[in-house]
Each structure stands twice: as C-alpha cells, then as structure tokens.
Amino acid sequence: MNDYLILRELDDPITRDDLDAAAEKSGETLEALRSEGVDIRWVDSEVMTNDAGEVTGTFCHYQAESEDAVREHADRAGLPATRIDRQGEPLAGED
C-alpha cells in the first residue's frame, strides 16, 4: 500500500457535528470498499478551522492500493478531495 495525503477544502464551513457525521459516513464507506476487496485504510486527519471554530477542511492521511481507491472512497462518501498526493519524506520539526 502507498501513503496518500488528501486535502479536503470545503466551500462553506461546517460544524463539528457535521464533521462527525462525515467521519461516520467515511468509515462506512471504507468498510464497504474493503468488503469489495479494495485495500484502503484511514490513518489520521488534521482539522482546519476558522476564527469562529467552524471546520473549513481537513488534511487526511490514508494508506491505499492506489490513488483511484482514494478517489473512489471520496466519491462514495460524498467528501471533497481537492488534492491527493503521495506522502513524501517528513521534515523534522523544532526540538
């Protein structure tokens, strides 16, 4: 499997409840894809917010057999996939 980073930009901000609902749909979609033999796994996500605390997007890390698998997940789950890239070597932060 390859590691993919997905930028999910939202046209309009959403609430944390909306984000939780999207995460639930995402999980259901992942299970369905795996039951169909698609090798895909969610690793983690970082949430982006505005000053009001509304969710404006996410950066998600997935492991998958292909970029097509990541796109299929996004399409079926109704999630934006503004950009999908393979993960490169990480940079170290400050000590």
Side-chain angles (χ1 to χ4, degrees):
M1 284 205 295
N2 297 305
D3 287 279
Y4 293 94
L5 299 177
I6 302 100
L7 170 61
R8 301 189 193 284
E9 290 180 305
L10 301 173
D11 292 332
D12 297 305
I14 62 173
T15 66
R16 288 285 177 167
D17 288 341
D18 294 332
L19 181 63
D20 291 343
E24 186 173 329
K25 177 66 175 170
S26 173
E28 292 167 358
T29 304
L30 286 169
E31 287 180 27
L33 285 167
R34 286 193 291 259
S35 74
E36 297 168 16
V38 177
D39 203 5
I40 187 168
R41 178 178 166 268
W42 171 63
V43 177
D44 62 12
S45 295
E46 296 289 334
V47 177
M48 299 181 294
T49 61
N50 60 18
D51 289 340
E54 298 168 311
V55 177
T56 59
T58 60
F59 286 104
C60 299
H61 177 191
Y62 280 71
Q63 292 176 331
E65 62 187 43
S66 67
E67 182 178 328
D68 288 341
V70 175
R71 284 199 187 283
E72 180 68 19
H73 168 263
D75 289 344
R76 287 196 198 182
L79 301 171
T82 309
R83 183 171 175 165
I84 300 171
D85 290 300
R86 281 194 184 196
Q87 182 180 24
E89 289 296 318
L91 299 174
E94 294 181 320
D95 292 332

